Amino acid sequence: MRLLKYYLFLPFTLLFNFLMAQNYHAINGSPYAGSLATGNNPASIVHVPFAWDVTPLAGQFKQTTNAVTIEKFSFLSSPGNAEVSADQGTKKRFVYANQDIRLLNARISLNSKSAIAFGANVRNYVFANSTETNWQDTLYHLDDYMQANVGNLPISGQFAGNAWAELYGSFAHTIIDNGEKILNAGLTVKINRGLAGGYGRADGLTHALSPNGQNYLLTGGSVSYGYSSNFDNLDSNKTASANRKIFYQKTYSSLSADIGLEYILLSAEDEEGSDYAYETKIGLSMMDIGKNNYRYGRRSRLAIAGKTGITDSIMESKFLNVTNIDNFNDSLATIVGSISGIGGAFHIYQPARVMINIDQHIVDNFFVNAELTIPILPVVAKYALFVKDINLLAITPRWETKSLGAYFPILVNNKQQVWVGGAFKAGPLLLGTHNLANIFSKNKTQRGGLYLALTIRPGKQLTREDRNPKNKLPGNRRRSLECPKF
């Protein structure tokens, strides 16, 4: 089985390197999202009933795959009992994972029409997929795998991983406010530092039965893989602190941006309360427009098949004692027609996407939010290196006050998987899961994830008069959300 694993590296390009990894779905569209709202739309930081808020710490991870199943484990059980097995059958396999950590994110209202937000984030995305292939747990040798996939040729796959740190600053301003509707616009500019990047591709791998019918021959295809050069300088003989310093020294900066608009239809009822109630809120944003820069590590390679007489048994023997990337490169060189190093700079695009968000007030403190995510790069940059966001559609009913909240996001991702999530807010704490099955089932943790945020707000909710007395609207007080006191 160990031999077969190295052959699978080629068509799947690290597909089975499953990773536990910007998704705080519970608070999509919420006026209480604060600085976290910049992750969906930078324009949404203006129409907020607080002078400021601070999120000292937030984090989330989300992943999904049909390549493996994690059994005997839920978020409420011990990870020591977990068992991981490859999913069998003939299908296209995929892995998506993302995670982020937010540190000292803050939002400040400058006046009734302008607000800023800023903070630091660390983010990571992993994306991989393959063409249709067959896998069974009875495939003990490479020729078994090749025989099972004669009808699936050619075999191709791709992998990309992109991790970066960012410092961001957002500014949003009210363009139109006539007492019945509001139009806000926002911009976020981010200074990025590419921490780690890598990719792998397998294109058009083919094999055929040998003339004597005893073996399968590798007949075509190419493999390429690259990674960021900061991995080359890690030394097991040095301390963790020294390696960390070396690792960060070989990183490079870039810029990215988010832009957004938010249209708000205010409540028509004339009731006592704050000026921040609304009936409908519509957001349109374009997120993560940018890329992260890297230089190739010295072990990056491009290999093209073409050497005659390379059988399955030869490939098994060549990779029998492979223990590191240098061994792998040496062994690969013996079975391909040509192999060359890859040098210079490369970049991986961030998960650029358009987001459409509609937040509808139902009654009292009940709302329903719908958010559609449309990826950009797979359409406009087919051959570029990029990572993808798994999100497609999220519909979130919520009951929410300043201090308490209950949320039930229904998520449909771009692999047509449907998850029912859940979250609650208690004071400054927000805690949620992308998929409740991660808690109640012991074989679903490969699809879902968790998120947590601590957000501190002032005790008083503002009216526009509090922030700027000149903005008082005589005879046209907007209906409050009638938030109960806790």
Side-chain angles (χ1 to χ4, degrees):
M1 290 299 293
R2 183 182 180 190
L3 304 175
L4 183 56
K5 179 175 67 175
Y6 288 111
Y7 181 75
L8 290 175
F9 173 88
L10 302 181
F12 294 152
T13 55
L14 300 179
L15 184 59
F16 294 118
N17 287 358
F18 177 67
L19 298 179
M20 297 287 287
Q22 161 130 38
N23 304 127
Y24 301 81
H25 290 296
I27 55 174
N28 287 356
S30 170
Y32 299 108
S35 61
L36 292 179
T38 59
N40 283 39
N41 190 333
S44 60
I45 62 174
V46 180
H47 194 76
V48 178
F50 299 100
W52 57 268
D53 59 78
V54 177
T55 300
L57 177 65
Q60 76 84 32
F61 72 87
K62 175 192 283 187
Q63 76 284 321
T64 185
T65 181
N66 68 347
V68 300
T69 296
I70 303 174
E71 298 179 302
K72 300 182 180 180
F73 175 68
S74 75
F75 290 156
L76 299 180
S77 63
S78 170
N81 299 324
E83 296 179 359
V84 181
S85 59
D87 287 5
Q88 301 184 57
T90 299
K91 57 185 175 181
K92 297 179 180 180
R93 288 168 168 79
F94 60 82
V95 171
Y96 287 82
N98 70 71
Q99 59 191 16
D100 68 72
I101 299 174
R102 294 169 169 267
L103 301 172
L104 294 177
N105 285 211
R107 185 200 62 85
I108 301 173
S109 296
L110 301 179
N111 51 54
S112 63
K113 291 189 175 184
S114 300
I116 59 172
F118 51 88
N121 306 318
V122 179
R123 301 170 60 191
N124 178 49
Y125 280 78
V126 172
F127 151 70
N129 63 14
S130 77
T131 56
E132 194 168 79
T133 55
N134 180 278
W135 170 260
Q136 303 292 333
D137 59 9
T138 56
L139 304 179
Y140 296 109
H141 296 283
L142 186 53
D143 62 337
D144 296 330
Y145 175 82
M146 297 173 99
Q147 181 178 4
N149 284 281
V150 168
N152 296 320
L153 301 177
I155 295 172
S156 298
Q158 60 179 322
F159 160 87
N162 193 8
W164 70 94
E166 61 184 27
L167 295 175
Y168 79 89
S170 301
F171 175 77
H173 183 72
T174 300
I175 300 173
I176 298 173
D177 183 356
N178 63 8
E180 297 179 354
K181 58 182 178 290
I182 294 175
L183 180 63
N184 298 322
L187 171 67
T188 298
V189 176
K190 294 174 280 190
I191 302 174
N192 309 304
R193 196 76 173 177
L195 300 180
Y199 72 90
R201 286 176 176 165
D203 295 310
L205 295 180
T206 58
H207 57 265
L209 193 64
S210 63
N212 62 14
Q214 300 298 311
N215 301 98
Y216 282 92
L217 297 170
L218 178 64
T219 57
S222 65
V223 174
S224 60
Y225 42 93
Y227 63 94
S228 52
S229 61
N230 49 351
F231 285 99
D232 286 339
N233 297 321
L234 297 179
D235 188 343
S236 60
N237 296 317
K238 295 182 178 180
T239 66
S241 176
N243 274 319
R244 190 161 50 244
K245 183 178 179 180
I246 293 172
F247 189 82
Y248 293 143
Q249 282 177 343
K250 296 295 183 178
T251 57
Y252 303 91
S253 299
S254 63
L255 295 175
S256 61
D258 310 325
I259 58 175
L261 295 172
E262 186 177 71
Y263 174 82
I264 303 171
L265 181 62
L266 298 167
S267 171
E269 299 181 24
D270 186 14
E271 298 181 8
E272 186 67 20
S274 76
D275 292 321
Y276 294 91
Y278 58 88
E279 289 299 324
T280 305
K281 180 165 57 177
I282 302 173
L284 175 65
S285 60
M286 186 177 295
M287 307 298 294
D288 289 323
I289 309 166
K291 60 189 178 183
N292 298 111
N293 297 323
Y294 304 100
R295 294 196 66 81
Y296 277 105
R298 61 177 177 267
R299 298 175 179 88
S300 303
R301 293 290 186 272
L302 167 63
I304 301 174
K307 191 172 184 178
T308 60
I310 301 301
T311 66
D312 55 86
S313 57
I314 290 176
M315 286 188 282
E316 285 193 4
S317 65
K318 293 295 184 180
F319 292 99
L320 179 62
N321 297 313
V322 167
T323 58
N324 55 50
I325 187 65
D326 287 321
N327 296 157
F328 182 87
N329 284 342
D330 291 341
S331 296
L332 183 62
T334 66
I335 67 168
V336 297
S338 66
I339 186 169
S340 58
I342 308 175
F346 71 102
H347 53 259
I348 302 177
Y349 285 95
Q350 296 180 7
R353 60 206 182 276
V354 171
M355 302 181 71
I356 303 170
N357 188 287
I358 301 174
D359 200 62
Q360 181 64 47
H361 178 232
I362 305 301
V363 62
D364 296 331
N365 298 303
F366 289 92
F367 295 78
V368 174
N369 183 272
E371 183 171 271
L372 178 66
T373 301
I374 305 171
I376 300 173
L377 283 171
V379 177
V380 300
K382 183 177 180 180
Y383 298 104
L385 289 174
F386 56 83
V387 289
K388 292 183 179 181
D389 194 291
I390 186 63
N391 294 342
L392 176 61
L393 178 66
I395 298 175
T396 307
R398 75 175 186 272
W399 176 88
E400 186 178 40
T401 71
K402 173 190 173 183
S403 303
L404 296 175
Y407 316 84
F408 294 95
I410 301 169
L411 311 174
V412 182
N413 63 34
N414 60 27
K415 291 302 179 181
Q416 292 77 54
Q417 297 171 342
V418 180
W419 303 342
V420 178
F424 71 90
K425 180 179 70 176
L429 174 67
L430 173 71
L431 180 63
T433 176
H434 296 300
N435 188 358
L436 287 170
N438 298 159
I439 298 174
F440 300 110
S441 174
K442 290 194 174 183
N443 64 350
K444 295 290 192 300
T445 50
Q446 70 276 5
R447 300 177 183 178
L450 293 172
Y451 49 96
L452 177 148
L454 295 173
T455 300
I456 301 168
R457 307 175 182 87
K460 180 183 178 182
Q461 297 189 84
L462 298 179
T463 67
R464 287 159 39 111
E465 296 169 49
D466 292 324
R467 296 200 297 186
N468 190 342
K470 296 180 180 180
N471 288 319
K472 183 177 180 179
L473 301 175
N476 186 24
R477 298 293 300 219
R478 298 169 186 155
R479 180 167 58 84
S480 75
L481 300 181
E482 299 296 335
C483 297
K485 295 181 180 180
F486 293 94

